[in-house]
Amino acid sequence: MKYRDVLIEEITPEMEGKEVRVAGWVHAVRRVGKLVFLIVRDFTGTIQVTFRVPKEASEEEKERYKELIKKVSKLPLESAVMVVGVVRRDPRAPRGVELAGKDLVVLNEAKSPLPLDVAGKVDAHIDTRLANRPMDLRRPESQAVLRLVSLAARAIREYLYDLNFTEVFTPKIIASGSEGGAQLVPVFYFGKTAYLAQSPQLYKELLTSSLEYVFEIAPAWRHEESDTPYHLAEFISVDVEMAFADYNDVMKVLENVVKRVIDYARERGGRWLEVLGHRPPEVALPIPRITYKEAWEIIKAEGFDVEPGEDFGTPELRKLSEVLEKEGKTSGGFYFIVDWPADVRPFYTKRKGSDVVGGKEVDLSESFDLNWKHLEISSGSTRIHVRRELEEELKRRGLSPESFEWYLKWFDYGMPPHAGWGMGLQRLMVPVAGISNVRLATTFPRDMKRLVP
Ligand code: AMO
């Protein structure tokens, strides 16, 4: 069976009189006297199909139409259908066209009632939406978010390919974690315990000694115990790593990536943004950079009790971003915090001397976070490329260099100085798509509470 010869968005007023075949779902049905109006939806949009008995038709044909109208008016919402109709100009209809219905085949009738309202404007609770995700994804708003995620991935790829990066695919079953052990997800692996990759960190670093400029867009797993709108047990990590580069070089790449994604969303995703009623922030480059020390001083002055050298929590970052925005020190809400205390960064982070913060000497590092308001979007650093220093950092953190030997030994053979960053793709969608929860930028989110669907 030929299911369709056009997509709904391809139907234009200029096609008046042409017979077309569309396939999709029953979005709405309304009976008005002898007429029945059917709204059909495919992934490109909706169109109204009007079924009426034609005046100049044989009795037999009139009978067929009457049956058809009866059938259409009883159609359960969300049934999959194929519709044949003739294009009619109608200035009252959205986009100025409708179809005069000629035939309809039910391809798969939906059960009633639906577990979730698809056409309605009433927002179901996020837990209900996610429990019924396949149905939820039929809602135009839900599709719009995933369309923007797809555009973001495309913008990132196109930009990095232009800069001569190679897209790589590193193993997702690994022997040792790189971001601290607590969040590792164990798996059985030929009689041994292995882990799901928390990050492609160690592999992307090794690849700088051959392919030099590499990036990856792939899932990463964290056994996150925090049930927040921003934490997933499985998220999509955008990772960049560059040889012969330091953190300033990769921050430039990162801010350009963010700007590209936003420009791309505006230029090619206008329809989806409109469905969501969202305007992404305006980003002018460079994105402002403040040091950890400056951030600490602002936070302290606002009355928070943070020890010099400690990481910041969400309440602190909320206040900090408010102050920075007031002072015009963000770009559309984005700002970098650079030069973090070495002790709160992973072992592979290069050190950068020390400074006095709040009267205390703190060892710093060549590292950064990119935040949007209170939310960390990305983090990165210059990496250590000297084996001895790496061994020291591992020991400092109570990790054994022996279990990292498979990684360390390659630092003996001309490992280049290198730098990079990792960015949560779903977190980037918070400003880009205007979502309030990263789960909405995920097809089928995995978190503390969800393993299906
Ligand atoms: P980090 O652990 O900061 O750094 O992670 C990088 C970015 O990944 C995103 N992210 C998450 N998103 C959703 N759910 C989670 N549970 C989650 N955890 C992290 C955040 C974060 O900024 N290897 C380093 C990066 C590097 O230096 O290259 C790393 O993994 O947006």
Side-chain angles (χ1 to χ4, degrees):
M1 184 185 217
K2 174 112 180 98
Y3 294 111
R4 55 162 56 123
D5 50 27
V6 283
L7 292 171
I8 287 172
E9 72 173 0
E10 293 166 352
I11 304 171
T12 59
E14 293 68 47
M15 289 162 71
E16 171 137 56
K18 189 171 170 4
E19 185 175 298
V20 295
R21 188 175 279 240
V22 298
W25 290 270
V26 176
H27 194 63
V29 187
R30 194 161 47 97
R31 175 125 202 201
V32 181
K34 287 181 180 163
L35 296 184
V36 55
F37 300 100
L38 164 71
I39 310 281
V40 188
R41 183 193 73 244
D42 71 12
F43 73 101
T44 67
T46 57
I47 192 158
Q48 175 167 290
V49 190
T50 306
F51 290 88
R52 58 160 65 80
V53 181
K55 286 195 194 88
E56 284 99 47
S58 64
E59 279 315 305
E60 199 183 325
E61 195 51 8
K62 282 183 177 161
E63 237 359 85
R64 190 185 74 81
Y65 268 98
K66 278 182 197 157
E67 282 306 308
L68 185 59
I69 288 168
K70 218 188 282 169
K71 177 163 101 178
V72 174
S73 58
K74 285 195 199 129
L75 270 177
L77 294 180
E78 294 306 314
S79 299
V81 292
M82 188 276 282
V83 181
V84 179
V86 175
V87 179
R88 271 187 30 164
R89 221 180 259 273
D90 181 353
R92 288 161 307 174
R95 289 192 298 114
V97 270
E98 66 157 24
L99 295 182
K102 281 184 78 174
D103 202 1
L104 178 141
V105 178
V106 179
L107 301 169
N108 206 342
E109 188 173 305
K111 220 159 102 172
S112 314
L114 295 171
L116 196 81
D117 188 13
V118 173
K121 285 277 163 233
V122 235
D123 248 353
H125 188 271
I126 186 162
D127 288 344
T128 314
R129 290 180 58 187
L130 295 176
N132 298 286
R133 191 63 164 157
M135 188 61 62
D136 177 57
L137 287 175
R138 291 192 188 181
R139 299 169 63 244
E141 295 83 356
S142 304
Q143 286 180 37
V145 175
L146 293 193
R147 286 293 200 128
L148 290 166
V149 174
S150 162
L151 272 185
R154 183 171 162 194
I156 295 167
R157 288 201 166 94
E158 283 183 8
Y159 179 63
L160 293 174
Y161 280 125
D162 283 350
L163 293 184
N164 214 359
F165 274 79
T166 302
E167 181 166 14
V168 295
F169 307 94
T170 62
K172 298 301 159 209
I173 301 177
I174 58 167
S176 22
S178 53
E179 315 300 319
Q183 305 165 329
L184 281 170
V185 182
V187 291
F188 296 117
Y189 190 71
F190 300 109
K192 281 193 214 136
T193 301
Y195 305 97
L196 292 177
Q198 282 173 314
S199 152
Q201 183 64 35
L202 307 182
Y203 290 97
K204 68 176 179 172
E205 284 191 50
L206 293 177
L207 289 168
T208 63
S209 71
S210 50
L211 294 164
E212 292 203 38
Y213 294 1
V214 294
F215 82 96
E216 179 165 18
I217 303 179
W221 293 267
R222 309 251 169 128
H223 203 291
E224 294 282 0
E225 299 282 358
S226 26
D227 187 12
T228 81
Y230 308 115
H231 286 89
L232 294 160
E234 180 179 82
F235 68 97
I236 301 300
S237 185
V238 179
D239 277 274
V240 155
E241 202 69 23
M242 292 178 83
F244 305 108
D246 70 6
Y247 71 146
N248 286 309
D249 299 313
V250 295
M251 272 192 274
K252 273 191 202 132
V253 175
L254 175 57
E255 63 189 359
N256 275 286
V257 160
V258 169
K259 185 163 168 48
R260 284 294 182 110
V261 167
I262 289 178
D263 289 349
Y264 220 87
R266 280 220 197 81
E267 286 157 20
R268 308 204 186 196
R271 286 173 53 187
W272 318 120
L273 291 172
E274 210 170 291
V275 168
L276 295 167
H278 177 66
R279 286 166 60 105
E282 301 281 341
V283 189
L285 300 189
I287 290 173
R289 286 128 166 91
I290 63 157
T291 62
Y292 169 85
K293 180 178 169 168
E294 290 163 337
W296 187 90
E297 282 164 359
I298 293 173
I299 290 168
K300 192 74 184 171
E302 291 294 329
F304 287 90
D305 194 22
V306 189
E307 281 294 306
E310 258 182 30
D311 205 351
F312 306 137
T314 305
E316 287 88 351
L317 291 176
R318 260 184 219 285
K319 181 47 84 180
L320 174 68
S321 67
E322 255 175 55
V323 173
L324 293 177
E325 266 185 82
K326 232 180 269 161
E327 293 178 358
K329 288 183 184 152
T330 77
S331 181
F334 290 97
Y335 58 97
F336 281 105
I337 304 178
V338 304
D339 300 348
W340 286 79
D343 287 346
V344 300
R345 305 301 284 203
F347 74 86
Y348 48 77
T349 312
K350 186 174 166 144
R351 285 179 183 260
K352 190 201 174 167
S354 66
D355 199 354
V356 178
V357 182
K360 206 175 133 187
E361 184 93 3
V362 176
D363 290 331
L364 301 177
S365 62
E366 293 194 8
S367 57
F368 60 88
D369 276 3
L370 174 68
N371 291 357
W372 183 73
K373 297 185 185 276
H374 63 282
L375 183 64
E376 179 195 314
I377 303 282
S378 169
S379 71
S381 60
T382 310
R383 324 301 193 181
I384 299 172
H385 67 282
V386 178
R387 178 182 176 131
R388 184 182 32 78
E389 291 172 23
L390 275 173
E391 287 175 354
E392 275 165 27
E393 296 293 340
L394 283 166
K395 283 189 211 143
R396 248 174 194 279
R397 289 166 178 76
L399 300 164
S400 86
E402 292 75 51
S403 55
F404 286 87
E405 184 54 25
W406 64 270
Y407 159 78
L408 293 172
K409 79 190 247 197
W410 306 109
F411 285 70
D412 290 336
Y413 303 95
M415 178 62 75
H418 56 286
W421 46 261
M423 172 172 73
L425 184 60
Q426 288 102 331
R427 286 202 186 169
L428 178 63
M429 300 318 288
V430 171
V432 175
I435 48 171
S436 56
N437 191 311
V438 291
R439 289 164 182 79
L440 299 176
T442 311
T443 51
F444 298 100
R446 292 290 171 261
D447 60 26
M448 275 176 82
K449 297 189 296 198
R450 281 180 195 84
L451 191 52
V452 291

